[in-house]
Amino acid sequence: MSSMSAEPAPAVPSADNPLLAESPLPFGLPPFGDITLEHCREAVLAGMAEQRAELGAITGSTEPPTFANTVEALERSGALLRRAGAVFGNLSSSLSTPRLREIERELAPLEAAHADALRLDPVLFARVDAVHEARHDAGLDPEAVRLVERHHLDRVLAGARLDDAGRARLSEMNRELSELSTQFGQNLQLATEAAAVRVADAAELDGLSDEEVAAAARAAADRGLDGYVLPLLLPTGQPVLAKLRDRELRRRVFEASVTRASSGEHDNGPVAGRIARVRAERARLLGFATHADLVLADQTAGSTAAVDAMLSSMVGPSTANARAEAEVLAEAAARDGVTDLAPWDWAFYSERVRAERYAVDTAALRPWFELDRVLVDGVFRAAELLYGFTFSPRPDLAGYHPDVRVWEVSGPDGEAVGLYLGDFTAREGKRGGAWMSSFVTQSRLLGTRPVVVNNLNVARAPEGRPTLLTLDEVDTLFHEFGHALHGLSSAVTYPRFAGTAVPRDFVEFPSQVNEMWALWPQVLSGYARHVETGEPLPSAVVEALDAARLWGEGFATLEYLAATLLDQAWHRITPETEIGDPAEFERRALADAGVADDLVPPRYRTTYFQHVFAGGYAAGYYSYIWSEVLDADTVEWFRENGGLRRENGDVFRERLLSRGGAVDPLEAFRAVRGRDADPAPLLRRRGLTPA
Ligand SMILES: [Zn+2]
């Protein structure tokens, strides 16, 4: 990667740049049709300059530091950068192009330097420090006190107490990390596209539906190739592995999946190793033993010891469950003459056992899960019954791509809440996985209301046919919508605390809770209608789904724990640790943690572990299961109180969802549950018994 100057190009945006002014559209929805990538680039650069000027006004003030002229002024600053950054950030995830990636590479180090300047400016820190000292004597309300504490802690963790030499080193490290993460993400995207599996003969695709075969043919045609192409998705496990009868093709897909970005021009191994090394050095500079210690100081978990205690209690039971599952699979495979069960066979025979034992062929359920019915009669309907939210399509409002649809959200008394954007289908230039993000976040101080978006990667249906979901995709939609609800429910004063702006090990909790409604009888019966006949999902299937729930939990928990412990291993190194070959480091880490299993590879291997090397989850991948403890306990609370009732939704929304980061998250949890979280419901739910 070429070195880049930290000095921004002169920011002289063209006068017709629509990002320069507040959007005239409802709720501040960006006028996507008028915005070009060059507008984004200019506006981000101009936004950084504007915020630096605002920062100069704060630090140049001759007034003594107060909450209003320092911390609140910081919250108000950066309006243009917030607006432009949200548009550009969302486009980089959902609609990437070569030009966008070029701009990303240009802006990433500048944005990192800008963020550093905001957190590390010594005059600013002295003012924040003074406000922090006096925070309890200034007549501030609890949210304002917490805001001061967060601004103070952010800066301490970022190195505001370092001397000039330390700050310079830190800034250099942050710049390098930002470049490396961008490189990791780009390598992964290109390597994943290049690793798509080519198939010459349709006969090899035996097991796939006609629709999936057609999609594979289209994927080949899109690339200008003959035959068929099976594109890869992000986790290790590829959905087609559950269906392909051709064992050799299964092996090829699996190998392509686990070796992604591990050699050649897009090799992420050295990039990941370098990222871990620089993070370790940065942690040392900031006074922490490892990067994991630094990260956990700022999470609800609090310490690496708390994380270890939770993870290690699950390794034994999940390994035992996975072994038991493997025995059942080996028997099923033996009936096909397969006597050497391999990792590429797991999903295929697991699906067969599920179908035989539990009489559920989840692939055959897709006709009951038509995207729009699931969304409108399932996801939206559950939110209406629980929270009183209603959703009206706004076809007059355009998204950033023709696939994107917009709904206006109203509250229980008909009041305008915000906008919900849905972008559900996969396409070139969209990153893998599913997520929620925001174009505008709620704040009473700024007078803004939320504009949130959900992205999924559902395979596009053939022209004129309805889009059908798998059961997993149904769960994913409920999950991501749980994040959207967190954003939409937000009722805080300061943008710093809006919606999902909570610690990472808490942010998955509300979204996981929302998954409980996917199979809730009253919700399911409303949306699961056969796309051609309108018939409801037979109750025998629903019962079987429930019985089948525990099948595969050993595998799922173990592959997750392996990825989590791999993440911890990479972030518990010190600057002195000899990393060596990254693949060997990975093998050793998994063996040391007791999760090296020939049949159950980690959910993510190092070279495609985007969450931790190019996302916000470094040393934080454990948080999914940490927050699932809170989730499982909350599910019990809903059940104990009668389930899907407005009274329950109101408690959950008012005491927890609406508070965002404005209160201590575990305090919000206690306000709902009446006590601390109990891990027992999670172990029960997964069929795991404590060792
Ligand atoms: Zn999530």
Side-chain angles (χ1 to χ4, degrees):
M1 174 169 295
S2 62
S3 71
M4 270 168 272
S5 158
E7 281 306 307
V12 194
S14 45
D16 65 346
N17 187 330
L19 286 164
L20 293 185
E22 273 185 44
S23 166
L25 297 178
F27 303 93
L29 179 76
F32 295 112
D34 302 331
I35 299 174
T36 65
L37 283 176
E38 305 313 316
H39 288 145
C40 289
R41 177 185 169 278
E42 283 177 359
V44 168
L45 291 170
M48 288 191 280
E50 177 191 275
Q51 198 172 25
R52 276 194 303 276
E54 289 165 331
L55 184 68
I58 296 171
T59 55
S61 166
T62 51
E63 301 288 314
T66 64
F67 174 78
N69 73 17
T70 303
V71 175
E72 192 178 281
L74 278 171
E75 287 286 293
R76 288 184 192 277
S77 74
L80 174 56
L81 183 57
R82 204 165 18 236
R83 195 158 59 228
V87 172
F88 187 67
N90 275 290
L91 292 182
S92 79
S93 295
S94 303
L95 206 61
S96 186
T97 62
R99 174 59 185 144
L100 185 145
R101 286 190 285 275
E102 205 172 84
I103 297 173
E104 229 180 354
R105 283 191 297 273
E106 178 195 355
L107 293 182
L110 301 174
E111 289 175 312
H114 180 72
D116 274 357
L118 269 179
R119 285 178 305 197
L120 297 175
D121 184 283
V123 180
L124 182 60
F125 180 66
R127 290 183 72 92
V128 171
D129 201 34
V131 177
H132 183 254
E133 276 296 307
R135 68 192 180 283
H136 293 301
D137 310 318
L140 300 175
D141 68 26
E143 186 178 338
V145 171
R146 189 170 164 82
L147 183 71
V148 174
E149 290 170 348
R150 294 306 312 186
H151 271 273
H152 192 256
L153 181 64
D154 284 350
R155 288 176 170 76
V156 169
L157 286 177
R161 285 183 165 152
L162 296 175
D163 62 16
D164 285 350
R167 280 170 201 231
R169 258 191 80 203
L170 182 67
S171 193
E172 190 43 52
M173 286 174 184
N174 286 341
R175 189 178 3 259
E176 184 180 356
L177 283 170
S178 159
E179 290 176 8
L180 287 165
S181 289
T182 301
Q183 190 188 355
F184 187 98
Q186 294 187 355
N187 274 348
L188 178 55
Q189 195 173 341
L190 295 169
T192 300
E193 278 166 22
V197 176
R198 288 190 68 179
V199 177
D201 185 352
E204 289 177 74
L205 297 174
D206 186 23
L208 299 190
S209 67
D210 292 348
E211 212 174 90
E212 288 163 327
V213 173
R218 244 189 348 267
D222 285 350
R223 290 167 165 78
L225 300 170
D226 291 334
Y228 307 87
V229 162
L230 299 173
L232 296 180
L233 305 180
L234 192 55
T236 295
Q238 301 296 312
V240 292
L241 290 174
K243 299 169 189 166
L244 291 170
R245 294 204 178 89
D246 185 316
R247 196 176 185 217
E248 172 57 17
L249 182 55
R250 287 206 301 266
R251 188 192 62 75
R252 284 176 57 209
V253 171
F254 176 84
E255 296 286 356
S257 183
V258 295
T259 58
R260 249 175 302 171
S262 66
S263 63
E265 62 171 325
H266 303 305
D267 187 356
N268 264 339
V271 183
R274 180 67 191 155
I275 288 173
R277 163 82 67 221
V278 178
R279 283 174 178 164
E281 286 168 0
R282 185 175 60 178
R284 166 82 47 93
L285 180 67
L286 292 170
F288 292 87
T290 69
H291 185 67
D293 289 280
L294 178 147
V295 166
L296 290 164
D298 194 22
Q299 297 296 313
T300 65
S303 70
T304 54
V307 170
D308 287 344
M310 192 267 295
L311 294 179
S312 62
S313 75
M314 305 188 88
V315 168
S318 60
T319 302
N321 276 34
R323 295 267 153 76
E325 287 166 15
E327 279 174 35
V328 176
L329 298 185
E331 280 167 32
R335 281 185 269 133
D336 279 359
V338 173
T339 54
D340 55 339
L341 187 75
W344 45 90
D345 301 319
W346 190 293
F348 182 76
Y349 288 106
S350 181
E351 195 55 32
R352 181 178 290 182
V353 169
R354 192 193 305 276
E356 286 173 0
R357 280 204 176 180
Y358 305 104
V360 196
D361 173 2
T362 54
L365 297 180
R366 293 180 70 230
W368 275 276
F369 302 140
E370 193 264 309
L371 170 63
D372 277 30
R373 282 211 80 134
V374 175
L375 182 69
V376 174
D377 299 331
V379 171
F380 288 171
R381 179 74 180 138
E384 183 178 354
L385 292 171
L386 278 168
Y387 307 113
F389 285 150
T390 52
F391 300 81
S392 319
R394 290 289 306 257
D396 56 313
L397 298 177
Y400 49 84
H401 184 276
D403 287 352
V404 183
R405 287 179 286 164
V406 182
W407 285 266
E408 181 167 340
V409 187
S410 304
D413 303 316
E415 73 276 22
V417 168
L419 294 177
Y420 172 76
L421 278 62
D423 180 1
F424 302 120
T425 39
R427 63 173 166 266
E428 198 95 344
K430 192 197 258 201
R431 71 175 164 89
W435 64 94
M436 168 269 191
S437 63
S438 298
F439 285 99
V440 182
T441 59
Q442 179 274 336
S443 160
R444 278 194 287 260
L445 181 74
L446 304 179
T448 52
R449 289 175 296 184
V451 176
V452 303
V453 57
N454 274 164
N455 269 271
L456 266 65
N457 267 287
V458 177
R460 186 177 301 278
E463 199 56 42
R465 303 269 295 277
T467 300
L468 304 179
L469 305 185
T470 64
L471 182 57
D472 274 353
E473 287 166 340
V474 172
D475 282 336
T476 300
L477 184 52
F478 275 87
H479 175 99
E480 297 307 333
F481 192 75
H483 289 304
L485 282 170
H486 205 179
L488 290 167
S489 299
S490 183
V492 301
T493 300
Y494 304 106
R496 175 72 176 70
F497 294 140
T500 53
V502 296
R504 201 181 296 130
D505 62 357
F506 194 76
V507 74
E508 292 303 325
F509 157 55
S511 53
Q512 286 168 333
V513 168
N514 203 55
E515 290 178 48
M516 76 179 284
W517 309 115
L519 290 186
W520 193 262
Q522 190 187 347
V523 179
L524 184 73
S525 65
Y527 75 81
R529 301 270 168 172
H530 194 281
V531 66
E532 275 150 26
T533 65
E535 268 178 86
L537 197 62
S539 58
V541 174
V542 179
E543 281 157 31
L545 276 176
D546 220 35
R549 206 170 38 91
L550 290 184
W551 173 250
E553 280 297 297
F555 177 92
T557 310
L558 188 55
E559 71 154 5
Y560 168 82
L561 285 175
T564 301
L565 289 157
L566 182 60
D567 166 36
Q568 289 295 318
W570 276 116
H571 297 108
R572 301 237 183 138
I573 67 168
T574 69
E576 289 75 33
T577 305
E578 203 57 62
I579 293 176
D581 171 29
E584 180 52 31
F585 179 92
E586 175 181 304
R587 267 193 295 280
R588 243 186 359 252
L590 296 174
D592 290 350
V595 289
D597 191 303
D598 290 343
L599 289 173
V600 186
R603 183 169 166 75
Y604 298 96
R605 294 190 60 201
T606 301
T607 57
Y608 50 93
F609 209 162
Q610 170 135 336
H611 285 73
V612 308
F613 293 111
Y617 279 81
Y621 197 62
Y622 79 93
S623 43
Y624 286 92
I625 213 157
W626 182 271
S627 50
E628 204 183 329
V629 168
L630 305 177
D631 154 38
D633 204 10
T634 302
V635 167
E636 297 242 316
W637 173 81
F638 270 108
R639 288 181 189 282
E640 286 164 12
N641 290 284
L644 191 75
R645 300 167 63 227
R646 261 299 290 285
E647 293 85 340
N648 293 340
D650 285 347
V651 169
F652 195 57
R653 182 162 60 90
E654 281 161 20
R655 298 185 192 171
L656 197 139
L657 293 178
S658 71
R659 310 309 311 275
V663 297
D664 176 337
L666 291 184
E667 220 168 82
F669 176 85
R670 280 189 290 270
V672 173
R673 192 65 176 110
R675 56 163 173 73
D676 284 331
D678 174 5
L682 174 66
L683 293 173
R684 275 200 297 280
R685 175 201 283 188
R686 293 196 168 210
L688 308 174
T689 40

